[in-house]
Amino acid sequence: MKKILVINGPNLNLLGEREPGVYGNNTYEDLCDSLMNKAEELQVKCEVFQSNHEGAIIDKLHSARVSYDGVVLNAGAFTHYSYALRDAISAIKIPVVEVHISNVFARDEFRKNSVIAPVCKGSISGFGFASYLMAMDALVKYYE
Ligand code: DQA
Protein backbone atom coordinates (compact mmCIF):
# COMPACT_ATOMS: atom_id res chain seq x y z
CA MET A 1 0.00 0.00 0.00
CA LYS A 2 1.50 3.27 -1.06
CA LYS A 3 -1.16 5.86 -1.76
CA ILE A 4 -4.59 6.27 -0.19
CA LEU A 5 -7.20 8.75 -1.39
CA VAL A 6 -9.83 9.90 1.10
CA ILE A 7 -12.99 11.30 -0.53
CA ASN A 8 -15.61 13.23 1.40
CA GLY A 9 -18.94 13.96 -0.22
CA PRO A 10 -21.63 16.59 0.26
CA ASN A 11 -21.92 18.71 3.40
CA LEU A 12 -18.88 17.19 5.07
CA ASN A 13 -17.02 20.48 4.55
CA LEU A 14 -19.36 21.85 7.25
CA LEU A 15 -18.21 19.44 9.95
CA GLY A 16 -18.03 21.20 13.30
CA GLU A 17 -20.98 23.45 12.35
CA ARG A 18 -23.30 20.84 10.91
CA GLU A 19 -25.53 18.95 13.40
CA PRO A 20 -22.84 18.72 16.10
CA GLY A 21 -25.05 16.35 18.10
CA VAL A 22 -24.68 13.83 15.28
CA TYR A 23 -21.27 14.61 13.77
CA GLY A 24 -19.41 16.16 16.72
CA ASN A 25 -17.69 19.51 17.21
CA ASN A 26 -14.51 18.83 15.29
CA THR A 27 -14.11 20.60 11.96
CA TYR A 28 -13.30 19.30 8.48
CA GLU A 29 -9.78 20.68 8.98
CA ASP A 30 -9.45 18.63 12.19
CA LEU A 31 -10.51 15.56 10.19
CA CYS A 32 -7.84 16.28 7.55
CA ASP A 33 -5.21 16.65 10.30
CA SER A 34 -6.06 13.29 11.84
CA LEU A 35 -6.02 11.60 8.41
CA MET A 36 -2.56 13.01 7.73
CA ASN A 37 -1.29 11.88 11.16
CA LYS A 38 -2.65 8.40 10.51
CA ALA A 39 -0.99 8.32 7.08
CA GLU A 40 2.32 9.18 8.71
CA GLU A 41 1.85 6.43 11.30
CA LEU A 42 1.06 3.90 8.54
CA GLN A 43 3.84 5.22 6.29
CA VAL A 44 1.49 5.79 3.37
CA LYS A 45 0.85 8.80 1.16
CA CYS A 46 -2.59 10.30 1.56
CA GLU A 47 -4.63 12.86 -0.35
CA VAL A 48 -7.90 14.22 0.98
CA PHE A 49 -10.59 15.46 -1.41
CA GLN A 50 -14.02 16.92 -0.68
CA SER A 51 -16.80 17.87 -3.06
CA ASN A 52 -20.48 18.63 -2.84
CA HIS A 53 -20.91 17.51 -6.47
CA GLU A 54 -21.65 13.97 -7.57
CA GLY A 55 -19.85 14.30 -10.92
CA ALA A 56 -16.70 15.69 -9.31
CA ILE A 57 -16.56 12.67 -6.98
CA ILE A 58 -17.03 10.30 -9.94
CA ASP A 59 -14.26 12.08 -11.88
CA LYS A 60 -11.98 11.77 -8.85
CA LEU A 61 -12.68 8.03 -8.54
CA HIS A 62 -11.90 7.57 -12.24
CA SER A 63 -8.57 9.34 -11.93
CA ALA A 64 -7.76 7.47 -8.70
CA ARG A 65 -7.89 4.12 -10.51
CA VAL A 66 -4.44 4.67 -11.99
CA SER A 67 -2.77 6.74 -9.30
CA TYR A 68 -3.95 5.32 -5.94
CA ASP A 69 -3.88 1.92 -4.27
CA GLY A 70 -7.14 2.36 -2.36
CA VAL A 71 -9.91 4.79 -1.49
CA VAL A 72 -11.69 5.67 1.76
CA LEU A 73 -15.07 7.10 0.78
CA ASN A 74 -17.62 8.97 2.87
CA ALA A 75 -20.19 9.62 0.15
CA GLY A 76 -22.55 11.47 2.53
CA ALA A 77 -26.16 11.31 1.37
CA PHE A 78 -25.07 10.04 -2.10
CA THR A 79 -24.52 6.74 -0.27
CA HIS A 80 -28.24 6.18 -0.12
CA TYR A 81 -29.26 6.82 -3.73
CA SER A 82 -26.42 7.41 -6.19
CA TYR A 83 -26.33 4.56 -8.71
CA ALA A 84 -23.86 6.64 -10.73
CA LEU A 85 -21.44 6.54 -7.80
CA ARG A 86 -22.03 2.82 -7.37
CA ASP A 87 -21.24 2.24 -11.06
CA ALA A 88 -18.06 4.33 -10.76
CA ILE A 89 -16.87 2.18 -7.83
CA SER A 90 -17.68 -0.98 -9.82
CA ALA A 91 -15.78 0.37 -12.80
CA ILE A 92 -12.46 0.73 -10.96
CA LYS A 93 -10.34 -2.13 -9.69
CA ILE A 94 -8.78 -0.54 -6.61
CA PRO A 95 -10.49 -1.27 -3.26
CA VAL A 96 -12.94 1.29 -1.90
CA VAL A 97 -13.92 1.28 1.79
CA GLU A 98 -17.22 2.98 2.67
CA VAL A 99 -17.15 5.03 5.88
CA HIS A 100 -19.63 7.03 7.94
CA ILE A 101 -19.06 9.19 10.99
CA SER A 102 -22.50 8.42 12.44
CA ASN A 103 -24.09 5.00 12.83
CA VAL A 104 -26.31 5.11 9.75
CA PHE A 105 -28.30 2.11 11.02
CA ALA A 106 -29.38 3.97 14.15
CA ARG A 107 -30.87 6.95 12.34
CA ASP A 108 -33.56 7.65 9.70
CA GLU A 109 -34.96 4.71 7.71
CA PHE A 110 -33.50 6.00 4.40
CA ARG A 111 -29.97 5.96 5.85
CA LYS A 112 -30.15 2.21 6.52
CA ASN A 113 -29.77 1.50 2.82
CA SER A 114 -26.43 1.99 1.10
CA VAL A 115 -26.49 1.50 -2.67
CA ILE A 116 -22.67 1.59 -2.71
CA ALA A 117 -22.04 -1.02 0.03
CA PRO A 118 -22.32 -4.09 -2.28
CA VAL A 119 -19.52 -2.79 -4.52
CA CYS A 120 -17.23 -1.61 -1.72
CA LYS A 121 -14.60 -3.81 -0.08
CA GLY A 122 -16.28 -3.19 3.27
CA SER A 123 -18.12 -0.58 5.34
CA ILE A 124 -17.37 1.12 8.67
CA SER A 125 -20.03 3.24 10.34
CA GLY A 126 -20.57 4.89 13.69
CA PHE A 127 -17.11 5.53 15.14
CA GLY A 128 -16.81 9.25 14.46
CA PHE A 129 -13.59 10.28 12.74
CA ALA A 130 -12.13 6.93 13.86
CA SER A 131 -14.23 5.27 11.11
CA TYR A 132 -11.79 6.76 8.56
CA LEU A 133 -8.72 5.69 10.55
CA MET A 134 -10.04 2.13 10.80
CA ALA A 135 -10.63 2.13 7.04
CA MET A 136 -7.03 3.25 6.43
CA ASP A 137 -5.83 0.41 8.67
CA ALA A 138 -8.07 -2.01 6.75
CA LEU A 139 -6.68 -0.91 3.38
CA VAL A 140 -3.10 -1.32 4.57
CA LYS A 141 -3.94 -4.81 5.96
CA TYR A 142 -5.61 -5.70 2.66
CA TYR A 143 -2.28 -5.26 0.89
CA GLU A 144 -0.19 -7.17 3.45
C1 DQA B 1 -22.81 10.36 6.76
C2 DQA B 1 -24.20 9.73 6.93
C3 DQA B 1 -25.10 10.09 5.78
O1 DQA B 1 -26.39 9.52 5.96
C4 DQA B 1 -25.27 11.61 5.70
O2 DQA B 1 -26.06 11.96 4.60
C5 DQA B 1 -23.97 12.32 5.70
C6 DQA B 1 -22.91 11.86 6.58
C7 DQA B 1 -21.91 10.08 7.98
O3 DQA B 1 -20.71 10.27 7.83
O4 DQA B 1 -22.38 9.72 9.04
O5 DQA B 1 -23.81 13.32 5.03
O6 DQA B 1 -22.20 9.78 5.62
Side-chain angles (χ1 to χ4, degrees):
M1 168 57 57
K2 291 190 183 73
K3 287 176 86 181
I4 294 177
L5 173 64
V6 181
I7 300 180
N8 280 292
N11 303 307
L12 291 161
N13 54 310
L14 293 185
L15 283 172
E17 275 179 53
R18 175 195 184 196
E19 299 183 77
V22 177
Y23 300 111
N25 294 305
N26 291 321
T27 64
Y28 180 71
E29 213 166 77
D30 295 332
L31 172 62
C32 294
D33 287 347
S34 55
L35 296 172
M36 289 308 174
N37 289 338
K38 183 69 180 176
E40 207 176 312
E41 178 199 315
L42 292 172
Q43 304 269 287
V44 296
K45 284 192 178 153
C46 178
E47 186 199 340
V48 189
F49 174 81
Q50 191 277 328
S51 177
N52 294 318
H53 306 278
E54 190 179 18
I57 295 170
I58 292 168
D59 287 344
K60 195 70 185 175
L61 283 167
H62 289 181
S63 62
R65 82 190 192 283
V66 287
S67 42
Y68 288 91
D69 301 295
V71 177
V72 175
L73 172 63
N74 186 345
F78 291 145
T79 303
H80 312 298
Y81 66 91
S82 175
Y83 296 112
L85 201 51
R86 177 192 169 123
D87 283 350
I89 298 165
S90 292
I92 62 174
K93 291 190 181 76
I94 57 171
V96 177
V97 180
E98 173 188 7
V99 298
H100 300 286
I101 296 166
S102 65
N103 178 355
V104 287
F105 302 101
R107 301 179 60 198
D108 319 82
E109 248 345 273
F110 77 88
R111 292 184 208 277
K112 291 181 182 154
N113 185 43
S114 165
V115 300
I116 64 168
V119 295
C120 287
K121 202 80 209 153
S123 305
I124 302 169
S125 162
F127 297 97
F129 288 180
S131 294
Y132 295 78
L133 310 183
M134 291 174 188
M136 290 171 79
D137 275 327
L139 278 174
V140 169
K141 279 261 167 242
Y142 177 79
Y143 277 96
E144 262 177 18

